[in-house]
Amino acid sequence: MTSPDSAAALGPATGSPAAVGPAALRPRLPSPLQTVEDERFARRGLRLLLKRDDLIHPDLIGNKWRKLEPNLRAAAGRTIVTFGGAYSNHLRATAAAGRLLGLPTIGVVRGHELAGQPLNPSLSRCAADGMRLRFIDRSTYRRKSEPDVLATILRDVGVAYVVPEGGSNSRAVQSCTALGQELRGHADVVAVACGTGGTLAGLAAGLGPGQRALGIPVLKGGFLTDEIRALQEQAFGGRRGDWSLDDRFHFGGYARTTPELEAFARDFEDRHGLPVERLYVAKMLYGLVTLAEEGAFAQGTTVTAVITGRPFP
Ligand SMILES: *Cc1c(COP(=O)(O)O)cnc(C)c1O
């Protein structure tokens, strides 16, 4: 099932399973930290830094690297089964990891109606990377963590390692503490876009005293605070770090956008030469600029924006 040879070919490896694991993919860590000149911040005496997690790895981008890395090791060659929507960055990253490390992957996709249709570009990429795709209806998808539903999904898979939707299990959250540790001494406020909140849960735990994390949820609903508490509880045994959410910048919900957000993202790209991922990063940057303009940060504050992804394709 595993093919250690193909993984070993990617980097220096001694032949033990750990050595042919994700470290062989040579991530760029710690990720670069860049200062940018942005008058919307400078005018208020604020400094803006970009934490370029999008440069960690060309295929396992941003927080997807941080969250998958410990799970790839834990899978130890087993088939990886995971879940996502039709445009999931997590599914694409998992599929790429499968290709690079020679691990079989199965992606369970929300939406039975997608079966038998031409694949969208994101799912095509997954399939080209060798991921086997299964489409399930939305009500079953919602119940995918229930043991009997999961057992049905996995019926003919054999021995598998299951990674939850978005990749946010305890291993992933613990791994994201490194993001916070890399930023110790470099920021007062660290902003990150939130889907499941796993990245924020780990980031906040890794920051030092006096630093705080600010999450910008891209989904509508306001249920994320409880989920992040639960993720921290599972990963660390209790609440960690100073973090909060600002729920005003979801623009209608996941993958929704508005002409205003689109114009904002293009303008940010023009100003700073940064390719702005639209599902998450654009909303987080919009939120930060708005907060700066509202005077939410005291003069002298260093604000760091975590660039968790890159536009696809
Ligand atoms: C997945 C993803 C996120 C959200 O991460 P969570 O840990 O699920 O909150 C943020 N930004 C980008 C670009 C992503 O792909």
Side-chain angles (χ1 to χ4, degrees), residues 99-116:
R99 167 172 53 81
L100 293 166
L101 295 170
L103 293 171
T105 58
I106 295 177
V108 181
V109 184
R110 180 180 57 231
H112 194 62
E113 72 283 359
L114 300 169

Side-chain angles (χ1 to χ4, degrees), residues 63-64 67 89 166 168 193-200 277 280-281 308-309:
N63 61 355
K64 300 304 182 276
K67 296 203 290 183
N89 291 341
S168 288
C194 299
T196 63
T199 305
L200 176 69
E277 192 270 354
Y280 294 92
V281 176
T308 42

Side-chain angles (χ1 to χ4, degrees), residues 201-226:
L203 160 68
L207 290 173
Q211 297 183 292
R212 68 182 179 93
L214 170 65
I216 308 290
V218 305
L219 285 87
K220 207 158 72 174
F223 46 79
L224 207 54
T225 300
D226 288 343

Side-chain angles (χ1 to χ4, degrees), residues 144 146-156:
K144 61 191 176 306
E146 296 171 21
D148 53 326
V149 176
L150 185 60
T152 309
I153 295 170
L154 298 180
R155 204 170 31 212
D156 51 344

Side-chain angles (χ1 to χ4, degrees), residues 61-311:
I61 299 163
N63 61 355
K64 300 304 182 276
W65 168 276
R66 295 191 188 272
K67 296 203 290 183
L68 272 172
E69 191 269 343
N71 284 297
L72 295 170
R73 278 190 284 117
R78 285 171 287 176
T79 297
I80 296 180
V81 178
T82 193
F83 304 84
Y87 287 94
S88 166
N89 291 341
H90 166 66
L91 281 187
R92 279 204 314 285
T94 306
R99 167 172 53 81
L100 293 166
L101 295 170
L103 293 171
T105 58
I106 295 177
V108 181
V109 184
R110 180 180 57 231
H112 194 62
E113 72 283 359
L114 300 169
Q117 305 230 12
L119 298 177
N120 71 31
S122 186
L123 293 175
S124 292
R125 175 68 64 82
C126 293
D129 279 340
M131 178 174 264
R132 284 183 286 152
L133 299 173
R134 292 200 176 174
F135 299 92
I136 61 174
D137 66 83
R138 281 152 208 272
S139 70
T140 309
Y141 190 90
R142 268 194 297 279
R143 297 171 50 227
K144 61 191 176 306
S145 312
E146 296 171 21
D148 53 326
V149 176
L150 185 60
T152 309
I153 295 170
L154 298 180
R155 204 170 31 212
D156 51 344
V157 172
V159 194
Y161 180 82
V162 178
V163 177
E165 179 175 39
S168 288
N169 55 14
S170 287
R171 285 190 172 95
V173 170
Q174 287 159 1
S175 175
C176 287
T177 59
L179 170 58
Q181 287 157 0
E182 289 172 26
L183 289 168
R184 286 189 181 193
H186 296 293
D188 302 303
V189 178
V190 181
V192 69
C194 299
T196 63
T199 305
L200 176 69
L203 160 68
L207 290 173
Q211 297 183 292
R212 68 182 179 93
L214 170 65
I216 308 290
V218 305
L219 285 87
K220 207 158 72 174
F223 46 79
L224 207 54
T225 300
D226 288 343
E227 295 191 2
I228 294 169
R229 286 213 181 107
L231 286 168
Q232 287 202 328
E233 188 71 46
Q234 284 158 26
F236 310 117
R239 191 166 170 155
R240 291 288 183 279
D242 182 357
W243 58 268
S244 61
L245 300 176
D246 192 326
D247 257 315
R248 293 178 294 160
F249 304 109
H250 56 70
F251 287 86
Y254 184 72
R256 301 286 173 88
T257 186
T258 65
E260 187 192 4
L261 181 66
E262 184 56 30
F264 170 85
R266 279 175 205 262
D267 173 68
F268 200 93
E269 291 180 329
D270 290 345
R271 285 173 192 252
H272 302 303
L274 175 84
V276 174
E277 192 270 354
R278 297 298 204 266
L279 301 185
Y280 294 92
V281 176
K283 294 178 182 182
M284 179 274 297
L285 292 171
Y286 186 100
L288 269 189
V289 169
T290 305
L291 284 160
E293 284 169 353
E294 290 173 353
F297 307 117
Q299 200 170 0
T301 300
T302 299
V303 178
T304 298
V306 183
I307 308 303
T308 42
R310 227 191 8 238

